[in-house]
Amino acid sequence: MWKSVPDCAPAHPEASGKVGRRQCLAALAAGLCWPSAASLAAVGDALQTLPERCGLPASSVGLYARVVGQAQPLVAINAEQPFQMASTAKLVTSMAALDVLGPEFRWRTAAYLDGELRDGTLWGDLWLVGGGDATLDHDTLQAWMAQWRAQGLHRIQGHLVLDRRAFALTAKDHAFTPTPSASRPHHLWPDALMVDQGRVRVSLKADADGRPLAMLAGAKVDTAFAGQRACQPVPQWARDEGRPQAAPSLQLQGDWTAACGPMSVEAVLPPGQVARLAVAQAWARAGGRLTGSVLDQPAVPRAPKLFSVHQSERLPALLRDINKTSDNLAARHLMLAMSPGFPSQAATLAGAQRRLLQWLAQQGLARGDIEVDSGSGLSRQERAKPRALASLLERFAYHPQGMALLSSLPLAGVDGTMQHRLRGGAAQGQAYLKTGTLLDTRALAGYIKTRSGHVVVVTALINHPQADRATPQMDGCIEWLARHA
């Protein structure tokens, strides 16, 4: 995979290498063309000034880089100090999932019949049982339901019941992650039966009298605009003060007038609401008929019979979506899938965390080297020592599923969250790096194939209220390594 010759790592993750993985690893293990001690020192000296060049306190910067297979690091700055990982935590989740779940893992969503299917009519309820698939969208759901009709189901003389018991989560499990809101889709909490990741599109236009009219799937959405001409509608959740336990409704606030013209606004609904809307719409559009309603699971079915199963793509494809776009919700769902006994047993965050701790210990890491909470990097409890994260990445360079990890990472100057960074230099198309961003954190971690044919594992973690100032310097370090290591 990461051999010390150019043909081993393709210029793009989807391309096929000319040399097989085993040959690549054999060449890598043979220690071909390693840099001399003098060149190691030169690279290290150049990178040691990173904190100074960023204008940040030395304690706020963690940097560790090493040629894969070599004991001596190129540079080590605060290598044993824990830093918030931000989305580079997804690397840990990805590696653990490839090991614990295996590359054939898929999320499964199942349809069960709670009644007799006769002459195209189900005399009873159909249960839709979520299995944590974070990739299930409206189009996929409709196509799956069309298959139900091909299997002989045309009418449900009962209810469509949504079962999301595959995740057993409590408010305590979300204590260290941001609270979701209608305008922040990347903060949504996990749900075992999620459709479109909880996102909806609201159409906004003026009615015949020039007043705002906001529509969502045929339902009117409340508006409360300030009347300014800034044309910036902001979705918010509004609760009924008389019914505090009721699910919040969607409201558009901010600034908008008729002069702004028609607009489409993306919003997030609380867990379950989008699924109920999407399931009803998808079944109708697939040509199915429903006598009852779409309900959340009220009781255990009497004698359910498995009718149909939808499976997500395999794990390597899931990881490409998670890491290239930094999908927080899918990463959290994947973390929960590692809970012991899942999906036969409901996943708990505590169970997933224990399993991940066990896995980290099996990789030779000490407690405190890497700490993972949600699996996405949204939690400020997710911290790592730069040396530990780099060591974990190096171990995976020899792993049978190492190519699946590599192919999932954004490629500098080419795609994902690195598409517009490090373009035109030695690192473009040669650095496979997971990015990480919080208000006070900037991070990069992954692999660099240098011009000399070496493979360097690197972790750069910066925690400071002005961490954003360090992004150009971080990119400069990657470019330096790509040219000189």
Side-chain angles (χ1 to χ4, degrees):
M1 174 170 57
W2 306 313
K3 177 185 156 186
S4 297
V5 295
D7 286 341
C8 190
H12 188 277
E14 302 300 329
S16 298
K18 297 180 182 179
V19 182
R21 177 180 59 79
R22 293 184 180 178
Q23 293 170 275
C24 291
L25 294 179
L28 182 61
L32 301 178
C33 305
W34 300 120
S36 66
S39 62
L40 286 174
V43 172
D45 290 345
L47 296 179
Q48 289 290 344
T49 61
L50 176 62
E52 179 182 343
R53 286 186 284 120
C54 292
L56 301 176
S59 61
S60 66
V61 177
L63 179 64
Y64 190 91
R66 185 171 69 227
V67 174
V68 172
Q70 295 291 287
Q72 180 68 30
L74 297 167
V75 61
I77 301 175
N78 297 321
E80 299 302 322
Q81 175 181 322
F83 288 84
Q84 291 175 11
M85 289 187 284
S87 282
T88 57
K90 294 181 178 71
L91 289 169
V92 183
T93 305
S94 298
M95 288 182 277
L98 284 166
D99 231 3
V100 172
L101 303 175
E104 296 302 311
F105 170 80
R106 298 172 183 253
W107 282 308
R108 291 164 48 95
T109 308
Y112 287 84
L113 305 183
D114 186 18
E116 182 182 357
L117 177 59
R118 187 173 65 251
D119 298 327
T121 297
L122 171 62
W123 296 91
D125 300 333
L126 185 139
W127 283 62
L128 202 59
V129 180
D133 188 352
T135 68
L136 187 63
D137 59 26
H138 188 103
D139 291 340
T140 302
L141 186 61
Q142 183 176 330
W144 182 31
M145 288 178 168
Q147 294 178 18
W148 298 358
R149 297 200 64 211
Q151 291 176 244
L153 175 62
H154 302 283
R155 180 189 182 98
I156 300 172
Q157 192 70 22
H159 300 295
L160 241 167
V161 184
L162 308 186
D163 187 335
R164 49 177 44 89
R165 291 175 296 170
F167 287 171
L169 302 175
T170 67
K172 183 179 177 181
D173 295 325
H174 309 308
F176 300 109
T177 54
T179 301
S181 68
S183 59
R184 293 185 176 271
H186 54 290
H187 288 170
L188 200 61
W189 288 339
D191 187 276
L193 185 52
M194 182 76 72
V195 182
D196 292 325
Q197 293 207 343
R199 305 182 191 204
V200 295
R201 303 293 304 187
V202 180
S203 62
L204 176 62
K205 63 181 182 180
D207 65 13
D209 297 320
R211 294 172 300 192
L213 178 63
M215 302 292 291
L216 168 63
K220 187 174 182 296
V221 177
D222 290 335
T223 58
F225 293 126
Q228 304 298 319
R229 297 176 64 88
C231 303
Q232 294 179 340
V234 178
Q236 300 287 348
W237 291 340
R239 291 192 177 275
D240 185 341
E241 298 299 332
R243 301 168 56 209
Q245 302 303 318
S249 60
L250 190 63
Q251 184 180 76
L252 294 185
Q253 301 178 2
D255 299 323
W256 187 87
T257 68
C260 295
M263 299 180 67
S264 178
V265 182
E266 183 181 74
V268 175
L269 290 178
Q273 290 193 32
V274 172
R276 288 193 293 273
L277 289 172
V279 166
Q281 293 172 14
W283 179 233
R285 290 176 180 174
R289 299 176 64 186
L290 177 65
T291 301
S293 304
V294 178
L295 306 174
D296 278 317
Q297 174 261 327
V300 177
R302 296 181 296 276
K305 177 182 178 181
L306 182 62
F307 178 65
S308 183
V309 174
H310 169 74
Q311 298 189 95
S312 71
E313 294 194 70
R314 293 180 175 85
L315 183 56
L318 298 177
L319 292 182
R320 284 195 291 274
D321 289 339
I322 289 173
N323 289 327
K324 286 192 181 291
T325 65
S326 208
D327 189 328
N328 290 316
L329 186 65
R332 298 176 77 171
H333 279 220
L334 188 59
M335 171 89 172
L336 288 166
M338 287 184 275
S339 180
F342 180 83
S344 298
Q345 298 178 0
T348 65
L349 182 60
Q353 290 170 340
R354 286 193 300 270
R355 184 66 190 88
L356 195 58
L357 278 175
Q358 294 170 0
W359 181 81
L360 288 169
Q362 292 166 1
Q363 310 314 303
L365 298 183
R367 184 175 288 270
D369 276 353
I370 295 178
E371 299 176 10
V372 176
D373 177 30
S374 71
S376 69
L378 278 177
S379 170
R380 296 186 179 277
Q381 301 297 107
E382 295 177 298
R383 306 172 70 85
K385 299 175 181 178
R387 181 269 313 161
L389 183 53
S391 297
L392 191 59
L393 286 165
E394 183 172 3
R395 287 178 67 89
F396 230 75
Y398 299 93
H399 193 278
Q401 298 305 319
M403 181 59 82
L405 177 70
L406 185 74
S407 297
S408 77
L409 301 184
L411 189 56
V414 175
D415 63 14
T417 56
M418 289 296 298
Q419 182 176 2
H420 302 295
R421 294 173 65 176
L422 291 165
R423 303 184 74 171
Q428 180 171 346
Q430 303 299 319
Y432 298 79
L433 300 166
K434 182 69 197 77
T435 56
T437 303
L438 294 172
L439 289 177
D440 58 357
T441 299
R442 294 296 184 274
L444 284 174
Y447 308 94
I448 308 167
K449 185 180 171 189
T450 73
R451 281 186 169 176
S452 301
H454 311 132
V455 177
V456 172
V457 61
V458 61
T459 299
L461 304 172
I462 299 180
N463 293 170
H464 189 271
Q466 296 177 315
D468 59 313
R469 291 167 44 187
T471 300
Q473 285 76 16
M474 292 176 69
D475 287 0
C477 286
I478 301 300
E479 179 65 19
W480 179 276
L481 288 166
R483 288 180 180 274
H484 301 290

